Each structure stands twice: as C-alpha cells, then as structure tokens.
Amino acid sequence: MANQIFFGTFVHTPALDTIEYLHDTIVAVEATGVILTIEELPPIGRHNPAAWIRTTLIPSLGWAADTKITATRPGQFFFPGFIDTHLHASQYPNVGIFGKSTLLDWLNKYTFPLEASLCDLAKARRVYGRCIRKTLSHGTTTAAYYATVDVPATNLLADLCLQAGQRALVGRVCMDQHAFSPDYYRDETPEEAETATRACMDHIAHIDPNHTLLRPVLTPRFAPSCTGDLLGRLGRLHKEGNWPIQTHISENRNEIALVKDLFKDIVPPSAGEEDGLPSYAGVYDHFGLLTPQTILAHGVHLTEAEASLIRDRGSKVSHCPCSNSAITSGAARVRWLLDRGIEVGLGTDMSGGYSPSILEAARLASLVSRHVAMGGDDAAKLSVEEVLFLGTVGGAHVVGMGDRLGMFRPGFLWDAQLIGLGMVDANGNTDVTSGFADETTGTEDDPTLGVEDGNVDVFGWETWEDRIAKWLFNGDDRNTKKVWVNGRLVHDRAAIAARQRAAAKAVPENAISA
Amino acid sequence: MANQIFFGTFVHTPALDTIEYLHDTIVAVEATGVILTIEELPPIGRHNPAAWIRTTLIPSLGWAADTKITATRPGQFFFPGFIDTHLHASQYPNVGIFGKSTLLDWLNKYTFPLEASLCDLAKARRVYGRCIRKTLSHGTTTAAYYATVDVPATNLLADLCLQAGQRALVGRVCMDQHAFSPDYYRDETPEEAETATRACMDHIAHIDPNHTLLRPVLTPRFAPSCTGDLLGRLGRLHKEGNWPIQTHISENRNEIALVKDLFKDIVPPSAGEEDGLPSYAGVYDHFGLLTPQTILAHGVHLTEAEASLIRDRGSKVSHCPCSNSAITSGAARVRWLLDRGIEVGLGTDMSGGYSPSILEAARLASLVSRHVAMGGDDAAKLSVEEVLFLGTVGGAHVVGMGDRLGMFRPGFLWDAQLIGLGMVDANGNTDVTSGFADETTGTEDDPTLGVEDGNVDVFGWETWEDRIAKWLFNGDDRNTKKVWVNGRLVHDRAAIAARQRAAAKAVPENAISA
C-alpha cells in the first residue's frame, strides 16, 4: 500500500439532516488507509488540478512523485462506503425465496436447512465468496455477518473477508435451545457453544491480529434459540474484551410471545411492561447482553419501556426494511427510535431481506417510513439524506466505529465508493463518456468506458440534490464504479468486465446449432 | 418481417394463481407477429432440436429453410412482455425526485413545470426517446402513456413509440379546470381540449392506420383538473369509436375531498356513499367515463360502493405500488379489488413511482400487499405468480388486449422477453456462459457473452419456482436479454453493448492527466 490522492466531488452526510457536497476537493490518504487531510483546491490550481497536485501538494506532503491520483469525472462523486449492520452470509443463496412465510416458519422451512448444509466447506466457499463479492460490488465496505453454527465454515468466512478486503464483524451463530433449534442444526450444550465461539474468536485473532479488518462478534441467534445459561456465558464473554454482540429483537409478534413464554420463569418481570412478564429487551439485559457494543436487528415492535432500556444501555438498532416487509414482520418506526435517542443503522438482513444492497435498504427505509406515516404520523417520513446517513454514519455507530467510518474527515479511514450516473444525450441515448476514469488509465482511456449505463439517467439540468435522489431511488451496483476499504481498491467494475470478456472468448459454440 | 421459431423454456401465468413452465417447447410465430402453434419437441427430436426443427418442423409448416430459430440456453426462459398500464412519459426525468411531497403539492412543485416545458420538441424528443428505450430495456412491450397537454409533443411520443416498436396507448392530457390547473399549463376551454384530443387521435390514425402498435387513449388527467363540460365531451367522444380512456382515481385523501367539493353541485349524490356526496367513481360514471375500456390508476381508497360500480361498469384498475408508497398515497388493497371482480394490472406511474420497471412494480406489489396484511388480513398477501400475472395477463386485460397479449397461446401476439440469470461457479464467480445466444450468432459465439452478470445468482440447486422468485426479487434490465413486440426484435442488450463499446473508443483522454 502507498499514499494516495483523491480529487473531485465528495458527498457525505455528516449529520442526520445534513448532506454536504464538496467540490474541487482533495483528499490525501496515507498508506495506512487513514485520511490525512481534506482541502479545497486553491484557485491557482483550478486550471490544471492534476498539475497543481503533482507540483505543489505532493511535494509539500513529502510524498513520492508518482503518488496515485484518482479523480471524479464531471457528474461523478465519491461517497462513503456503505455499512451493512445485519446480514446472514450463510443465507445468501436464498435471497428472494420466502413465499408467504413469516419469521418462525421461514426459519424452519428455508433457513435452517440451508445454514446446516454449509458445514460442507466447498459449498460454504462458494456461498460466502459470492456473498462477499456481491456486497462489495454494491458498495458495502463493512458488513456485520452471521455465519452458521459450524466453526470451520465460520472461520472460512473470516478468511474470505480478509482475502477480499472487506471490513467485517464475523459471528459464529450460537443456538442451544432444544425447544426451538432443530435436531440437525444446533449447539448441543451451552458449554459447546461457548467453546466453539472462542475457537472462532481465536481464529480471527490469528489471521488479523490487529483487527485491521476483522472483529469477532458474539452472536446468540435470538432469545428463542438460546438457553439462559448460554446467554449468560456470552454476556460474561463480552466483558472479557468488550467484544461486539449481535442478535435479533422484536421482529415478529409470535416471536415476542415465544420469548416471553420461554423466559417467564427465568427472567424477572421487566419494569414498565403491562403484562407483568419479562420484555424481549429485558431478557437480553438480564444476561448482560444489552451493551454499547450490541447490535439489535429489527426492533419492529419494541415497547416504550424497551426503547428506554436500550437507549440507557447504549445499544444500537439495525433497521432492516426489506426483510421486515418481505416476511411481513411489520413496519419499524425509525423516527420513533431516533427520537428516543437510539442510534440506528441499516441492514439488508439477507435472506429475510432479498436485496444485497444497502442503497436499496435506504430506498426501502424511505418507503417503509412512508407506510408508517400513512398511519397518521407525518413526521415519520425519512428524507433522502436521512436514509443515506443511516446507511453510512448511522451504520458506523452501530458497528462501533463511528469515530473512524461513515464520512470523509481527517483521521477517518478511506472506506469509500466512486459513483457514476448515466448522462442522457440529445437523442435520448446515454453518453458513453459517463463511465469513469482515473489517472492510472494513462493516455489511453479505459476501453470499457460506457459499456453500461445503469438505471440512473441524468439530463443535465438536475441539481446535486436531484442527482443524489435519483441515485438513491434508481441506483444499483452499476453506479458503484470502484470501492476501497482501508485505502485498498477492493472492487473495480471495469477490471471485472475486462476479465469476463477475456474469459467469454473460450465459451463453446451455441448448443442449438444444427 | 419473416416467420420465426422460438425454442426452449417458456414461463407464463395463464391464471392468477397458476404459473406454467413449458420446457423443450417450440413456438412458431408468423411474419405478422401472431403465434401460430405451441408444441412440445417430440422425443425423436431431443438429441438435436435444431436439426429436427429444420428438417421436420419447418418443412411441415411450409416455411423458408432459413427461418430464424432463437433458443434459450440452459437456465434461460422466454416470458411474456410486461404491460405498464400507467405511466407519464413526460415525467421521466423526475424519477426519484419527490422529496416528502404528497399528490397535490407534488403536482404543483415537480410535475406541472416539467410537463409544461415539453412543448420544446427537442426536449420532448430527448425525454420521450429515453423513456421508451428505458422501458423497453426493462421488458415493457406495451405502455399506457400520458404525454402532456401539448399536441405536437404528444404526436412526437406516438411517432417515437412507432419507430422504437413499442406497443402503446398514447394519451394527450386534458385539463381545463382553472381552479386546479396552473395558468401556464392547461386547456383554456373544454372545446380546445376536445379539439386538441381529436388532433392527436387523427395523428395516430395517420401514422398507424391499422392500430398495429398504437392506439389513442382519452386522457382526462383526473377529475380535479377537469370541468364537467370536458368530462362530458370525453364521455361522448369515447362512444364514437369505443376508444380507451385513462385517468386517475382515489389516489390520495385530499384529492378525494377536492373531487367531492368540486363536483358536489354538478353531480348527484352517489348511491351507497354515507356522506351524501358524489363519489369519485360516481363523478366519472356520471359523465360516461366508467366503461370496459377505462383504466383507473391507483384506486387506493375506493369505497365498497365505488368498487361495485367499477365492477358493474367493467372498468379496470392500474395498481401502482411504487408511486403509492413513494408519495405516501396509501396501500392499495389489491386482493380486495380482485375479490370484488375487478381486473387489475400494474403501473410504474413514473414519476410518482420512481422505477421504470414492471418487474420492480411486481416486487413492490408483493411488499405492499404484505403491508396490507400487517393490518390483520393475511389473505391480502400476493404470491410470486400473482404479481407476475398482474404484470402480464392482468395488464393485458386492463389495456383491453386480454385476448391477444400476456401469455403464450396460439393466436396471441409474440410480445415477449428472453430472460437470463447469473450462474455462480465453484469459486463464487458467475459463469461467463450464462449470457444468451441464438442461432443467428452462427459458429462463433457473441463476444459480449458474460460481460454482465446482473443481480440474480443461481447456484444450480434451485427449482424453477425458486429461480422465478429470485428473478422477481433481484432481477433488473440486465436479465432482460432481448425483447420482441409483434414478432419484431426491439431490444437487444448485446447489440447495444457492442455499439457502446465501439463508440467509447472515441472518448477523449482523461481530463485530470497532468
């Protein structure tokens, strides 16, 4: 890794209701991946930015003369990498396959059988490899993954994340509650679950000792699939190293009833709950699992008392609108959570959610907030900048890296994406120059320029606000031209397309030919 | 145009709850675009289908020896073209731009200014050209378009549809109600609106005399923007040629109140309405606009009495879930409409809806039906086959072509799309052979094969039902490899990509180079 310069337009959401457009801006990134400075190009450099950067800026930094410069073309912009705060890498092959199921039957019918099958490491490699590549291509620079119960397969997921360069929290799934976990897929005892969890933590400590990209995350699947003994062990394990925790909460009404039933004789009644039973949040809190390092997925049906408890403990919520709509869990009240002081990020929750994209999660967060607003609370609506904030800065706070990720700021890490939108020409075609380029393409432009146009059409009269709205609502992985994590280029559409074209030449003749 | 043969896998939804998978099937399409026969390849032909088709089938039909054969590769399938029963071509540049607005302020803030600006024909050409190309690329073979008030621009839309080969209903927008239509954009009198409408009808009769692709559609924008005089004229004009009608109904609660207020002294109270006022449907019925040829967009808040009236009149509903969620109109009860015997299709409603894709409309219809179900009516949920039915067969009925479009059947028209999904290989890459091919590529495969993989990943163990679900939930225009209307190939991703690559070589050097 070497020092790098990024130049052009940068867009980010430094606060929930704020979106910033930084034009003619230079971001200097150190070889460690840390942003050293962000500054506007001075007027004297405007007529030839690259020359000014080379002859003035780079020498002043004491950096090598051949320091790489990556620039946005007109209309392109750099955006912080997306943070997916909740997804099951092991369920990736099932995206879109859920029929009319809801949570508990969905788990038994679709999910447990697939997860169990991933103890086959060749299958796990195929599934995890594709999941990582797919989410990277959608601009996900950090992912909070659930793997499976299986230790070798979970370790493989960690290996593959490191290899691909995706920042990740990797969690081995703990589930020892025989009443709900199937015979063919569970931890037989709390001891076994703890031992297996420690084995995965040790593996990550071994392959990424400084936790540059990877952190282990304690992963009790959800209260219905865990005994109190196991939850207590994980709560104590958390304290050993302030380890992150991830689990599910209050996704579905039947699930909530099941939790109350399973824990009513184990956990005392929670304060503020009218039914005199422990609340879902109360169960986690009882076992020391509601911490500032805790990611709670869903939180659709939380009570006021639970929201207060979660806020007091500093735990975070991962909002998964795609999943909540698809498997009919409910419409989470994000404004309500934010108003109560709870930090919220976005999760794809594959495969409860069908989409691998946090951009689509942001889009659906916008729609779901409007469905909440249809109930009468107009303030529930989330704006473009708010859902993009949730997908970046919000997510960074949820995964415990709000001081290093989610926006462009000195001292933060260069986890970023280069976004390009299609430009419509006078005849209604997209402009072939609307691809991307950087200085490394040298004197001859990349031949893949303009091969794809994507689904975002810019006519030219749009404001920057309009362009960002168009990207939010119609953008996809075609608009994510390049992705960097920790300063390293980890996804490059042009390079992939070139490799695919080269490989395609070897394809056999059309089978139908007579 | 010549006769053609299509061979391989065909998928369609002949009934609301039925999806059919026809494998090893041959569809013979006459030069007129009409399907002559659909038959299964006999066992004797299985070892070399193309040879059997050439040596046995084609001679038996008396067709030319060089009749073109287009075949699916393994995993690919033909699917009926999508029918977009409601969209505003003139609003295409505004997709995704709606902020937190709802219908009435959205019209004034975003929509009327853009529509008015399209009297500039160069701008209209750019916008309409792109809209047609974009919807075709998403598999929309028939579109029910709203243009603008302007006659030349509306005629241009018709010209461009004919040229691109998209089947279309083209409607000049009528709006003469000074109380709601802005000064800068309206018909000054009912007479002018009628005259202008007739001018557009004449133009279509001139350019497509047999209505092979184009039909005019009477388009009162919606009741709040029309006088009773104008609505009455359009009702009488309908009778002259049983012309199709399209308008909006019961999209938003404020809109409904406005209709009642504007027409309470003009139209008698509607039977069955508790408020003693005319209902929204009652207003249209009063002026002879509720007919079997009428497309009513939205219908979110219809009353029981209105549903009965609409069913009795045989009018259809265009369900626009993307729009209804985006501009917070409400969650339409599709099951409720279907249970009442009303025929329903899908509409993108660009730019109230942000997506140009009926596949995405089907996906969102699925999600919205689950939001309706969250209210307690579990039967509201729509299945994969049901939403695909709405996007094809349902839409065909809505646009009055249920006897010619929407499924594969002898006597129906070949309006179809070739769908290809990505195949994941052992290393988690997509297989470069998962592109498409047809016999016309000859002995050397198309070099564009495999350049793109799209967002649908098939691992190989999925059933056909699973693959269709994956396509519904993650598919996009990349999966729509080719599109035909009336037998004519009107969209071909490979050809477009090849042209774009050729053009890209002329792109000037990267501007940032020092």
Side-chain angles (χ1 to χ4, degrees), chain A residues 95-137:
Chain A
V95 285
I97 303 173
F98 53 92
K100 291 186 179 176
S101 62
T102 53
L103 180 61
L104 301 181
D105 54 320
W106 171 82
L107 281 167
N108 281 309
K109 180 170 181 184
Y110 299 103
T111 306
F112 291 152
L114 174 62
E115 288 192 21
S117 76
L118 294 197
C119 59
D120 171 348
L121 289 182
K123 186 172 182 181
R125 177 179 295 275
R126 200 168 162 223
V127 168
Y128 291 154
R130 188 64 188 161
C131 180
I132 292 165
R133 218 163 272 136
K134 180 63 73 177
T135 51
L136 275 177
S137 76

Side-chain angles (χ1 to χ4, degrees), chain B residues 183-263:
Chain B
D183 292 347
Y184 63 87
Y185 182 57
R186 67 185 179 203
D187 294 304
E188 286 305 320
T189 66
E191 293 79 5
E192 281 180 33
E194 183 181 343
T195 303
T197 296
R198 288 185 186 273
C200 291
M201 296 170 77
D202 290 346
H203 180 76
I204 288 173
H206 178 69
I207 62 172
D208 188 15
N210 298 320
H211 296 307
T212 305
L213 286 182
L214 303 181
R215 278 183 302 157
V217 53
L218 304 176
T219 306
R221 180 175 207 109
F222 68 156
S225 65
C226 298
T227 60
D229 185 351
L230 175 54
L231 294 177
R233 285 169 185 267
L234 294 174
R236 291 188 293 277
L237 184 46
H238 160 76
K239 291 209 181 94
E240 289 182 16
N242 196 26
W243 299 112
I245 299 166
Q246 64 184 357
T247 190
H248 301 76
I249 197 167
S250 293
E251 180 175 359
N252 169 294
R253 294 197 186 280
N254 293 334
E255 170 210 19
I256 296 166
L258 182 59
V259 171
K260 288 178 182 282
D261 188 54
L262 286 167
F263 289 92

Side-chain angles (χ1 to χ4, degrees), chain B residues 82-138:
Chain B
F82 288 129
I83 295 173
D84 190 339
T85 59
H86 182 70
L87 77 165
H88 299 260
S90 49
Q91 297 171 14
Y92 177 64
N94 271 357
V95 286
I97 303 173
F98 54 92
K100 291 186 180 177
S101 62
T102 53
L103 180 61
L104 301 181
D105 55 320
W106 171 82
L107 282 167
N108 282 308
K109 180 170 181 185
Y110 300 103
T111 307
F112 291 152
L114 174 61
E115 288 192 19
S117 76
L118 294 197
C119 57
D120 170 349
L121 290 182
K123 186 172 182 182
R125 176 178 296 276
R126 201 169 162 222
V127 167
Y128 291 153
R130 188 65 187 161
C131 180
I132 293 166
R133 219 162 271 136
K134 180 62 71 177
T135 52
L136 277 177
S137 76
H138 283 272

